[in-house]
Amino acid sequence: FPVTISQSKSYRPFVHWMDKRGSEDLDLSVTFVGEKESEVLSFSNLRVGKSCHSGDVRHRQGPCAEYIDIDIQDALSRGFKYEVIDVRNYNGGTLSSLETSFGIMEREHPESNKTWLPETISNCQSLESVSTNTLIAIVDLVTKEYIMLDIDSSGFVTAGSDFKNTLKVIQQYAELHK
């Protein structure tokens, strides 16, 4: 069932994990999709319009997080209707091998910075996939609804290299009757 992102102007999908040895590299990505345009927002493309990525966190011991602040109106003005949120273990390990969680926070405006307090999270869930990659959710930017997916895959280490499969997921799940 779809869950709404109330009346906020922007929101922040995030992934948080515990890297006990300083040897992990999880990557959070968002693939924006419209009728004529598509673009991936990730560690290798930190900004799409006013939406921004926090930056790549690699091999840092202790608690780690990546997040993406999405400016809903800006994304719509660029012709995007959907976005797909995914997490990938760049090192090739499973997501279940780490203490990993995902959530969405509502925000007033997008703002990338180095300081982010995971203690402020009010809604999140554990990621326990035995796969290296998980498509987590589709967000309908028009209705401000998100559809939880939890679809596992392996083999592609970046969202940009897995674009065709991402489009298939949108067609399969976002076009269902709401």
Side-chain angles (χ1 to χ4, degrees):
F1 64 91
V3 180
T4 62
I5 302 166
S6 71
Q7 300 304 315
S8 61
K9 297 175 185 173
S10 67
Y11 66 97
R12 174 180 283 179
F14 67 88
V15 62
H16 180 269
W17 69 97
M18 181 60 70
D19 188 341
K20 294 179 182 176
R21 295 179 303 279
S23 60
E24 300 296 337
D25 183 7
L26 296 188
D27 293 317
L28 178 69
S29 300
V30 165
T31 302
F32 291 102
V33 178
E35 285 187 36
K36 298 178 183 176
E37 285 290 320
S38 61
E39 195 161 355
V40 176
L41 179 56
S42 68
F43 71 91
S44 63
N45 185 30
L46 296 175
R47 189 168 286 280
V48 172
K50 294 181 182 177
S51 298
C52 54
H53 192 287
S54 61
D56 198 13
V57 175
R58 299 181 66 234
H59 311 134
R60 183 184 304 163
Q61 190 170 8
C64 301
E66 287 189 15
Y67 60 86
I68 298 176
D69 285 352
I70 306 297
D71 184 306
I72 297 169
Q73 278 308 119
D74 182 68
L76 288 168
S77 73
R78 294 174 175 283
F80 302 128
K81 180 173 176 13
Y82 299 109
E83 70 176 60
V84 177
I85 303 167
D86 68 78
V87 175
R88 296 168 189 266
N89 189 328
Y90 197 82
N91 290 348
T94 68
L95 295 174
S96 63
S97 65
L98 304 166
E99 297 171 32
T100 310
S101 56
F102 165 80
I104 294 179
M105 300 170 64
E106 295 188 29
R107 312 277 297 164
E108 271 302 304
H109 52 84
E111 179 182 7
S112 178
N113 57 42
K114 297 286 183 193
T115 305
W116 180 62
L117 301 175
E119 295 85 15
T120 65
I121 302 308
S122 59
N123 63 340
C124 67
Q125 62 192 32
S126 294
L127 294 178
E128 298 180 7
S129 172
V130 295
S131 167
T132 57
N133 311 329
T134 298
L135 296 177
I136 297 175
I138 297 173
V139 177
D140 185 322
L141 295 165
V142 175
T143 64
K144 292 187 178 181
E145 296 175 330
Y146 62 98
I147 303 163
M148 296 308 293
L149 296 174
D150 193 23
I151 298 174
D152 297 338
S153 66
S154 293
F156 293 100
V157 294
T158 64
S161 61
D162 198 18
F163 188 71
K164 288 182 182 179
N165 287 330
T166 301
L167 286 179
K168 287 178 189 175
V169 168
I170 290 173
Q171 292 168 342
Q172 197 171 15
Y173 291 95
E175 300 302 324
L176 294 174
H177 297 288
K178 298 204 177 195

